[in-house]
Amino acid sequence: MPRVTLNVKLLDLTQNALALIYAACRQCYAEQFAGDIFDKIKEGQDKQAAFIRKIVSSGHESPLEHVKFTFAIEGVSRALTHQLVRHRMASYSQQSQRYVKENDFDYILPPSIENNPQAKTEFEKIMGQIQESYTKISHLLAGQGLSGETANQDARFVLPQAAETKIIVTMNCRELLHFFKHRCCARAQWEIRDLAEKMLEQAKVRLPEVFANAGAKCEALSFCPEGERFSCGRFPVKEKTK
Ligand SMILES: Cc1cc2nc3c(=O)[nH]c(=O)nc-3n(C[C@H](O)[C@H](O)[C@H](O)COP(=O)(O)OP(=O)(O)OC[C@H]3O[C@@H](n4cnc5c(N)ncnc54)[C@H](O)[C@@H]3O)c2cc1C
C-alpha cells in the first residue's frame, strides 16, 4: 500500500492542429470552401502560427475548440478527480473501483501531512486500518455469495479520498485555457494545481502558438481578480489598479 506521486502523460492531440484552427478562422471570412484549400493551408505553418497567436491574444477562442488534447493521469487522489470532473467541457474515463480491486490501494500523502511527523503517523495508521477493513468487508461480502464486482462496489465505501486513481481526460484548447486560468491560480488546491501545471508544460511544448502565455488568470489580466483576502500577492488586486 505505497504512497504514490503524480504522473501525467500527453497521449495525443488532434493532427494538423495549427492548420485546423487556421482553416476554422479562414472559413468564417473566405468565399472558398475550407475543404478545397486545406491541403494548401497545411503548408503555410509560419503564417498560421502568427495568425493564431493573434487570435488567442484577442480572445477569439471558438476556433480553438477544433483541437483536442488527451492526457493520461495517475498518482492522483479521488479528492483531485472530484474537482477535475467539475470541468464539464471535457471527456473522462476513470479507473473503476468496481472492476478493479483495492485490496492494496495506493494513496496520496499531502505535503503538509508529510512534513508533520505526528500527522503523518496518524495518516499512515488510518490508511492501514482502512486497508484491513476494506479487505475484510470484501471477503465477508464474497462469502455471502456476492460476485467480486458487487463486493468491490460496496466495500469501496470505506476507501478514503486519498485513494490513488487513474484517469484519462480530453479537453479542447479553449477548455484547457479555461482550466489553466482557474487551476494554475495560487488559490487552487495544491494537488490539482500541480496537475494543471504539468498539463500546461506539455501543452506549451506541443502547441506554443496557443499556450505560450496560458496560465493563471492574473497572468493575462495583470491584476488579481480574487480580491485582497484570497490574493497571493503576485499581482495587485483589481481595486488597486484603478
Ligand atoms: C479555487 C477554486 C475553488 C472552488 N471551490 C468550490 C467550492 O467550494 N464548491 C464547489 O462546488 N465548487 C468549487 N469550485 C469549482 C468551480 O465552482 C467550478 O465548478 C469548476 O471550477 C468548473 O468551472 P466552470 O464551471 O467554469 O468550468 P467548465 O465546466 O469547465 O465549463 C467551462 C465554461 O463553459 C461554460 N459552461 C459550462 N457549463 C455551463 C452551463 N451549464 N451553463 C452555462 N455555461 C456553462 C461556462 O462559461 C464555464 O466557465 C472551485 C474552483 C476553484 C478554481
Side-chain angles (χ1 to χ4, degrees):
M1 195 178 66
R3 175 205 158 188
V4 289
T5 52
L6 173 64
N7 181 24
V8 185
K9 187 171 180 192
L10 175 62
L11 294 186
D12 213 349
L13 72 152
T14 311
Q15 277 185 19
N16 298 309
L18 278 188
L20 210 51
I21 298 169
Y22 186 76
C25 298
R26 281 287 304 275
Q27 187 63 96
C28 303
Y29 308 105
E31 272 180 34
Q32 300 115 300
F33 171 45
D36 291 336
I37 53 173
F38 193 58
D39 282 342
K40 200 160 164 242
I41 286 177
K42 281 195 273 183
E43 290 160 15
Q45 297 277 325
D46 288 351
K47 195 172 152 200
Q48 290 162 21
F51 183 81
I52 288 162
R53 284 179 202 278
K54 212 162 94 188
I55 65 147
V56 171
S57 67
S58 68
H60 293 299
E61 292 179 340
S62 69
L64 307 181
E65 293 171 21
H66 299 287
V67 171
K68 290 179 175 174
F69 279 66
T70 298
F71 294 92
I73 299 160
E74 66 169 357
V76 291
S77 68
R78 282 250 162 188
L80 178 144
T81 56
H82 186 74
Q83 298 173 79
L84 178 64
V85 300
R86 293 294 302 280
H87 291 277
R88 293 156 288 176
M89 305 290 114
S91 306
Y92 302 99
S93 302
Q94 182 163 15
Q95 187 177 61
S96 167
Q97 288 183 328
R98 187 179 186 201
Y99 295 106
V100 179
K101 253 193 184 320
E102 298 278 7
N103 271 348
D104 192 24
F105 75 85
D106 295 331
Y107 61 82
I108 311 307
L109 179 65
S112 62
I113 298 180
E114 171 146 49
N115 294 332
N116 180 322
Q118 252 181 306
K120 187 176 174 195
T121 303
E122 200 58 37
F123 188 91
E124 286 173 342
K125 185 171 92 190
I126 194 76
M127 291 299 129
Q129 286 169 359
I130 291 173
Q131 184 67 87
E132 275 177 31
S133 297
Y134 172 90
T135 306
K136 198 164 175 184
I137 291 169
S138 48
H139 282 149
L140 288 169
L141 296 181
Q144 191 183 297
L146 297 185
S147 70
E149 288 106 74
T150 315
N152 293 345
Q153 79 177 356
D154 286 349
R156 71 175 159 177
F157 276 63
V158 300
L159 292 173
Q161 293 208 46
E164 191 263 351
T165 185
K166 303 181 199 315
I167 192 165
I168 289 184
V169 56
T170 299
M171 289 184 183
N172 69 46
C173 292
R174 186 181 201 179
E175 177 65 357
L176 277 171
L177 289 173
H178 177 80
F179 176 73
F180 296 144
K181 274 181 195 162
H182 290 278
R183 302 298 183 174
C184 291
C185 169
R187 264 207 79 199
Q189 182 257 355
W190 64 267
E191 192 185 13
I192 197 165
R193 191 171 63 242
D194 284 356
L195 168 67
E197 283 167 358
K198 290 219 157 43
M199 287 166 66
L200 175 56
E201 265 171 36
Q202 297 182 38
K204 265 186 191 176
V205 170
R206 297 299 294 273
L207 204 53
E209 296 79 5
V210 173
F211 294 106
N213 298 314
K217 47 195 179 292
C218 57
E219 289 176 24
L221 297 169
S222 298
F223 66 80
C224 171
E226 294 290 335
E228 205 71 72
R229 182 167 164 225
F230 294 116
S231 179
C232 69
R234 225 173 119 209
F235 284 92
V237 291
K238 190 175 181 186
E239 300 72 45
K240 295 214 167 139
T241 59
K242 287 175 186 161

